């Protein structure tokens, strides 16, 4: 089995992180741009095979990346989603052969801002993917010029493609997103319950989803609905 196949088999996308579950009208334009890009409707016009999305922590960049990978697979395209947070401790050789995958998604490029070897490896991957007419989506926490990437060629590549900023979700969008994710699990979360979670916990969607996971498991074990008193009991344990 090739290195690419081994790597692909070791990576699984989180359940539920699709474009449909990304409940944000604020970032609807970004979602539509990503879908057009994966469909090659945008790259055919501009001849760009890369897409850079950026935003502060907790706005859902990883969700959009996972959603892009899932969407590509629905279209019958091969895809792979990896995070630099994990890759930085591995050899750059893990990127070898990825140019044969239709869509490569790389999360948190800001992590390698101080690593020249990894920056060169990503630049080389850019070129190989372009030669094979494959697509690349990368996320970061800042705009291209503020990332701190020290390899000029890589900065240029990041700036050549499509760029979209992911904006923070409003409280209303977070409520809708949590209720959607709960509904997918067969749970009913009334507005007052979700608002309680927002006021009691971190407002980052990642943390809120993790809390929903904990509450879901606890409700199944105890055969109880998720109410405010139940949430208080679970969180105080």
């Amino acid at each position: 089995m090739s290195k690419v196949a081994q790597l692909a088999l070791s990576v699984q996308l989180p359940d539920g992180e699709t474009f449909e579950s990304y409940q944000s009208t604020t970032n609807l334009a970004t979602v539509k741009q990503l879908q057009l890009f994966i469909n090659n409707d945008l790259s055919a016009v501009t001849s760009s095979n890369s897409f850079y999305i950026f935003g502060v922590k907790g706005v859902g960049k990883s969700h959009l990346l996972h959603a892009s990978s899932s969407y590509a697979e629905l279209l019958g395209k091969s895809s792979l989603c990896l995070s630099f947070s994990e890759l930085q401790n591995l050899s750059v050789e893990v990127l070898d052969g990825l140019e044969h995958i239709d869509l490569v998604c790389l999360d948190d490029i800001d992590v390698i801002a101080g690593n020249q070897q990894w920056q060169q490896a990503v630049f080389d991957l850019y070129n190989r993917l372009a030669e094979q007419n494959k697509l690349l989506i990368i996320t970061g926490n800042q705009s291209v010029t503020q990332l701190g990437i020290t390899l000029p060629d890589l900065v240029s590549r990041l700036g050549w493609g499509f760029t979209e900023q992911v904006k923070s979700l409003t409280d209303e969008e977070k409520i809708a997103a949590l209720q959607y994710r709960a509904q997918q699990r067969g749970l009913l979360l009334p507005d007052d319950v979700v608002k309680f979670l927002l006021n009691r916990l971190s407002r980052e969607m990642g943390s809120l989803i993790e809390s929903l996971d904990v509450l879901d498991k606890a409700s199944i074990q105890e055969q109880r609905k998720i109410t405010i008193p139940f949430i208080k009991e679970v969180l105080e344990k």
Side-chain angles (χ1 to χ4, degrees):
M1 183 180 294
S2 69
K3 183 184 298 182
V4 173
Q6 292 177 20
L7 186 59
L9 286 174
S10 68
V11 178
Q12 291 184 338
L13 295 174
D15 291 336
E17 294 201 350
T18 63
F19 285 134
E20 186 177 10
S21 66
Y22 191 73
Q23 301 284 302
S24 172
T25 55
T26 302
N27 295 299
L28 183 59
T30 299
V31 171
K32 290 187 177 299
Q33 288 288 94
L34 283 168
Q35 290 176 320
L36 288 171
F37 174 73
I38 298 167
N39 272 308
N40 288 320
D41 289 344
L42 291 178
S43 55
V45 176
T46 63
S47 299
S48 176
N49 76 312
S50 65
F51 201 122
Y52 178 65
I53 55 179
F54 70 98
V56 298
K57 182 180 179 182
V59 296
K61 300 187 300 293
S62 296
H63 185 142
L64 288 175
L65 210 61
H66 298 149
S68 295
S69 187
S70 294
Y71 184 69
E73 292 177 359
L74 286 176
L75 297 176
K77 299 184 178 187
S78 58
S79 68
L80 183 64
C81 194
L82 302 169
S83 172
F84 284 111
S85 298
E86 299 175 355
L87 292 179
Q88 65 173 335
N89 298 318
L90 303 175
S91 167
V92 296
E93 291 181 356
V94 298
L95 300 184
D96 291 350
L98 298 191
E99 64 273 12
H100 301 298
I101 296 175
D102 294 323
L103 173 66
V104 176
C105 299
L106 300 176
D107 207 5
D108 299 325
I109 195 173
D110 46 281
V111 170
I112 63 167
N115 191 314
Q116 194 73 11
Q117 185 181 25
W118 265 105
Q119 291 177 43
Q120 184 64 52
V122 174
F123 173 71
D124 293 340
L125 177 61
Y126 254 105
N127 292 335
R128 298 198 307 272
L129 287 168
E131 290 172 359
Q132 298 294 325
N133 293 316
K134 305 300 184 181
L135 303 177
L136 175 65
I137 304 176
I138 291 182
T139 73
N141 63 356
Q142 299 283 349
S143 65
V144 173
T145 56
Q146 296 176 311
L147 270 174
I149 296 296
T150 54
L151 182 65
D153 288 338
L154 180 54
V155 175
S156 296
R157 287 291 187 275
L158 286 168
W160 280 0
F162 302 99
T163 300
E164 289 284 345
Q165 181 177 8
V166 184
K167 301 175 180 64
S168 297
L169 274 63
T170 64
D171 282 354
E172 289 73 19
E173 289 173 329
K174 291 176 182 178
I175 289 172
L178 280 172
Q179 288 178 326
Y180 178 89
R181 296 290 284 269
Q183 185 180 22
Q184 295 300 103
R185 301 162 184 252
L187 300 173
L188 176 64
L189 286 185
D191 289 351
D192 62 329
V193 171
V194 184
K195 289 177 181 177
F196 177 80
L197 286 173
L198 286 178
N199 293 327
R200 179 71 179 266
L201 306 173
S202 166
R203 287 175 176 260
E204 287 187 2
M205 279 306 301
S207 297
L208 290 169
I209 295 299
E210 288 178 5
S211 298
L212 181 60
D213 290 338
V214 172
L215 292 170
D216 183 18
K217 292 176 182 177
S219 68
I220 292 174
Q221 290 176 348
E222 301 188 26
Q223 295 295 301
R224 292 173 59 185
K225 294 181 179 180
I226 299 179
T227 61
I228 291 177
F230 179 69
I231 293 172
K232 291 179 178 179
E233 288 180 26
V234 173
L235 296 180
E236 289 173 359
K237 288 182 180 180

